[in-house]
């Protein structure tokens, strides 16, 4: 299980890194960001990329992960001027933060966590549209757009926690599969869809309740990337407006992107199945 879980985490995090330079960094540059929040550090690959960035601009990275898979103490001690690490849940850590310019949300992929992370960020910035950070949200596409994932189910209040199991997911399959499928070693909600279920659902519920006026862009690639920024920040920053306009051209080929993503996800699920078979074979040989 640990081998497969690490493999899943590596895939998800590697793709987030892949999106930094071609998509996210130009927007971050446009607003002159120096203070960045990372939610979900995993094995530290994205943390190191973001740390290099803030060091280059004389900024600071705030990274949150209750159970990172790398030595956060060594990294923080080596870069005290540029990194603060919080080994706690995002919903506990965010209220302690200073104001930030950019937030990358890639932590616990469920409705309750995402909705409340966004609420807390709004409260942290006093619901001021000119101070709200530029926000990137990962995994707003399949499989967790409309299905909750719980890395630690006990941390989610019972009334906000859907029934779940350690079983895999299949495209166009609302219920979990009996065997195989994607992320079969993680705690996935039994059923896809419905209220209070999934990352994208949490984001949409936040947008409905917030009085702020956001531009939201949904890029359907690499598990789905959301870009969220207030209209006031766009109006006040011509460079940001230009970069967002460039990004919108990506969506001209949305159907092709979506089709490509479907094929990629099928390959990922097949790779994970092979990884499980390999782990079982190694155990049998041992």
């Amino acid at each position: 299980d640990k081998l497969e879980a690490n493999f899943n985490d590596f895939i998800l995090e590697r793709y987030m890194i892949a999106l930094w330079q071609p998509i996210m960094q130009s927007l971050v540059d446009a607003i002159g960001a120096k203070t960045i929040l990372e939610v979900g550090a995993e094995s530290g690959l994205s943390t190191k990329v973001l740390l290099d960035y803030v060091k280059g601009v004389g900024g600071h990275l705030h990274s949150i992960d209750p159970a990172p898979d790398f030595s956060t103490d060594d990294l923080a001690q080596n870069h005290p001027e540029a990194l603060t690490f919080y080994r706690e849940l995002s919903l506990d850590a965010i209220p302690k933060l200073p104001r930030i310019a950019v937030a990358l949300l890639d932590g616990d992929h469920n409705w309750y966590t995402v909705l409340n992370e966004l609420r807390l960020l709004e409260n942290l910035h006093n619901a001021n549209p000119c101070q709200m950070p530029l926000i990137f949200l990962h995994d707003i596409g399949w499989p967790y757009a409309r299905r909750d994932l719980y890395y630690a189910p006990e941390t989610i209040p019972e009334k906000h926690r859907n029934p779940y199991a350690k079983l895999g997911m299949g495209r166009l399959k609302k219920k979990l599969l009996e065997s195989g499928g994607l992320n079969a070693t993680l705690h996935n909600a039994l059923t896809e869809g419905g209220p209070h279920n999934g990352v994208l659902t949490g984001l949409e519920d936040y947008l409905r309740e917030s009085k702020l006026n956001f531009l939201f862009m949904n890029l359907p690639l690499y598990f789905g990337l959301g870009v969220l920024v207030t209209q006031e920040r766009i109006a006040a920053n011509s460079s940001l407006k230009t970069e967002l306009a460039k990004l919108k051209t990506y969506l001209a080929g949305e159907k092709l992107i979506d089709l490509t993503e479907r094929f990629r996800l099928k390959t990922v699920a097949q790779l994970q199945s092979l990884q499980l078979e390999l782990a079982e074979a190694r155990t049998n040989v041992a």
Side-chain angles (χ1 to χ4, degrees), residues 226-255:
V227 180
L228 198 63
V229 60
T230 62
Q231 295 288 357
E232 286 81 0
R233 291 204 71 170
I234 298 171
N237 188 324
S238 59
S239 296
L240 177 60
K241 188 174 184 178
T242 298
E243 292 302 324
L244 287 169
K246 291 179 185 177
L247 194 54
K248 285 180 181 179
T249 64
Y250 285 33
L251 296 176
E254 185 174 354
K255 289 185 179 180

Side-chain angles (χ1 to χ4, degrees), residues 170-189:
R171 284 194 65 85
L172 305 180
K173 302 289 185 181
K174 284 197 169 186
K175 297 189 179 300
L176 296 177
L177 306 178
E178 291 298 324
S179 63
L182 191 68
N183 293 352
T185 63
L186 302 180
H187 298 104
N188 302 307

Side-chain angles (χ1 to χ4, degrees), residues 52-127:
D52 285 343
Y53 181 84
V54 297
K55 286 169 61 181
V57 297
H60 199 90
L61 172 65
H62 296 269
S63 184
I64 300 173
D65 196 310
D69 193 26
F70 67 103
S71 176
T72 60
D73 290 342
D74 289 347
L75 200 61
Q77 288 172 6
N78 290 335
H79 307 281
E81 77 293 343
L83 173 64
T84 303
F85 203 95
Y86 306 78
R87 294 179 65 100
E88 53 189 307
L89 297 175
S90 61
L91 302 188
D92 295 329
I94 290 175
K96 304 174 185 178
L97 301 176
R99 290 176 182 169
I100 57 173
V102 176
L104 282 71
L105 304 184
D106 192 20
D108 208 3
H109 305 326
N110 57 71
W111 175 87
Y112 176 81
T113 300
V114 170
L115 174 62
N116 284 289
E117 284 173 343
L118 292 169
R119 286 171 172 171
L120 288 173
L121 285 173
E122 183 173 319
N123 290 339
L124 184 67
H125 297 86
N126 299 318

Side-chain angles (χ1 to χ4, degrees), residues 13 17 49 63 72 89 110 113 125 158 161 190 195 218 276:
E13 186 177 40
I17 288 173
V49 170
S63 184
T72 60
L89 297 175
N110 57 71
T113 300
H125 297 86
E158 185 175 358
R161 190 173 64 226
L190 296 183
N218 185 344
L276 278 176

